[in-house]
Amino acid sequence: QVQLVESGGGLVQAGGSLRLSCAASGRSFSTDGMGWFRQAPGKGREFVAAISWSGGATDYADSVKGRFTISRDNAANTMYLQMNSLKPEDTAVYYCAADVHVRLPTRQASTYDYWGQGTQVTVSS
């Protein structure tokens, strides 16, 4: 019933751009803090970016700051991650997540309650 679905991943050359979308259904996520995480093969899940319930506050991992932009459209129950100047080290499965308890950005993966299935982003050199 409650579902987050990522889309927009794919193969891109280094320096290119992608925009990921996270479409929510089953409930409204408009009052939830939300975030993006990524996981490369053999590695743990890494924080990428987070956004407050209203979109007024954001937080980014140092590795993506200045290149990625997180945003949300609560009317559409959708969150986005604009990724520019992509690097091979950005290659990972990207997951969106929602935190029903906290409306502010958080980097702690264990705090999030709902997760999408992930979308693959591959950046070639």
Side-chain angles (χ1 to χ4, degrees):
Q1 183 185 36
V2 178
Q3 193 171 36
L4 298 173
V5 179
E6 303 93 338
S7 62
L11 176 64
V12 65
Q13 293 275 10
S17 298
L18 287 172
R19 189 176 80 152
L20 306 184
S21 297
C22 173
S25 61
R27 67 180 293 274
S28 174
F29 291 85
S30 62
T31 60
D32 299 347
M34 299 187 72
W36 289 96
F37 292 77
R38 66 188 183 186
Q39 188 166 13
K43 297 185 177 181
R45 193 160 296 188
E46 176 190 18
F47 169 76
V48 176
I51 189 167
S52 65
W53 71 278
S54 65
T58 59
D59 190 25
Y60 297 92
D62 288 343
S63 60
V64 307
K65 194 171 298 181
R67 300 188 297 120
F68 291 11
T69 302
I70 188 172
S71 62
R72 65 192 299 166
D73 183 348
N74 285 342
N77 219 19
T78 304
M79 179 178 64
Y80 305 95
L81 184 68
Q82 178 67 45
M83 305 186 294
N84 298 326
S85 302
L86 283 162
K87 305 174 181 179
E89 50 263 45
D90 295 318
T91 295
V93 177
Y94 283 71
Y95 299 90
C96 70
D99 186 340
V100 303
H101 303 294
V102 180
R103 297 187 176 191
L104 300 175
T106 180
R107 300 185 174 200
Q108 182 61 249
S110 62
T111 299
Y112 289 86
D113 303 288
Y114 296 99
W115 293 84
Q117 82 287 350
T119 185
Q120 177 70 49
V121 172
T122 303
V123 184
S124 61
S125 60

